[in-house]
Amino acid sequence: AFESGNWEGMAEIMTEVRRRYAYSRYARLAELRMADANYRQEKYAEAITGYKSFVHDYPNDPEVPYARYRVAKAQYDSVSQSALLPPLEERDLASVNDALVTIRQYLSDFPKSEYTRELAYMQAVVMGLLARHELYVARFYLAEDNFKAAIMRVEYALRTFGDSGLEPEALTLLGEIYMKQKEPEKA
């Protein structure tokens, strides 16, 4: 049922497994497959809740690293670049921050995991999004002639997201701000 995308049938089967074998490993795995089903249906919030619940309820289960990886992946995948929404740098990026925290925690706790390479890539993308947001806000402050706030945003981006790949753009923007302040030596 899971492989064929029969979500209703799969939910019935997993609920029955959880009811019949409540204290077995199969009941725990049924919970995990329910979260997987939500993920496959792109119900990311429900999937994240299911994975987090699994980790919380069964902290010693051997599937905990997998569940934590899936939390990070669902958070990452929930960051949408839909044409119907404004660009990411113009939106509230709380979910992107959550994804970065989750990814960093996973990489710290499981540095030799089979998911390390994929999560490192996701971390780089998320850091780039967050750095781009900071530079967007800095440009807004620059347009409003709020130089101090603009400088603080750029410096924060450089300090916090130093490996984002946007360092040249950030430094150029910082130089532009100092030039507008008539401080060519700092620029």
Side-chain angles (χ1 to χ4, degrees):
F2 180 83
E3 291 300 322
S4 67
N6 178 2
W7 307 121
E8 292 81 21
M10 184 258 186
E12 287 178 26
I13 293 167
M14 293 302 154
T15 301
E16 183 65 18
V17 168
R18 287 174 43 205
R19 186 186 66 74
R20 280 186 159 185
Y21 310 103
Y23 299 104
S24 74
R25 175 162 168 68
Y26 300 111
R28 294 192 308 266
L29 290 175
E31 288 183 39
L32 201 53
R33 293 299 84 82
M34 293 290 288
D36 285 339
N38 284 326
Y39 178 84
R40 293 257 307 259
Q41 297 175 75
E42 297 182 3
K43 295 179 180 177
Y44 298 122
E46 292 91 338
I48 291 167
T49 300
Y51 293 128
K52 284 184 174 182
S53 176
F54 181 87
V55 170
H56 178 268
D57 294 346
Y58 312 109
N60 298 320
D61 192 280
E63 294 296 323
V64 164
Y66 170 79
R68 287 189 50 199
Y69 158 74
R70 297 300 283 194
V71 168
K73 183 129 176 74
Q75 287 175 330
Y76 176 82
D77 288 342
S78 70
V79 177
S80 171
Q81 296 215 24
S82 171
L84 302 175
L85 296 172
L88 277 170
E89 61 268 9
E90 295 179 20
R91 292 189 259 157
D92 174 29
L93 298 182
S95 63
V96 180
N97 277 311
D98 291 345
L100 181 60
V101 168
T102 302
I103 291 167
R104 283 181 172 168
Q105 286 174 343
Y106 187 95
L107 291 172
S108 173
D109 293 346
F110 305 104
K112 297 194 185 306
S113 165
E114 64 186 280
Y115 308 114
T116 300
R117 188 179 197 140
E118 181 181 3
L119 287 169
Y121 170 77
M122 292 182 342
Q123 179 178 344
V125 170
V126 167
M127 285 178 56
L129 291 172
L130 292 169
R132 189 168 308 286
H133 174 74
E134 292 301 322
L135 298 180
Y136 173 82
V137 174
R139 284 188 190 90
F140 169 81
Y141 285 135
L142 178 60
E144 298 290 318
D145 291 333
N146 188 344
F147 302 122
K148 184 176 180 183
I151 289 170
M152 289 176 63
R153 284 294 188 145
V154 173
E155 288 177 346
Y156 173 77
L158 287 167
R159 188 174 55 253
T160 309
F161 310 113
D163 295 332
S164 68
L166 295 172
E167 297 82 10
E169 184 179 339
L171 290 169
T172 302
L173 180 58
L174 193 57
E176 182 182 336
I177 296 167
Y178 283 128
M179 288 301 286
K180 283 197 171 196
Q181 279 188 299
K182 311 255 188 279
E183 296 184 46
E185 63 284 342
K186 283 186 176 179

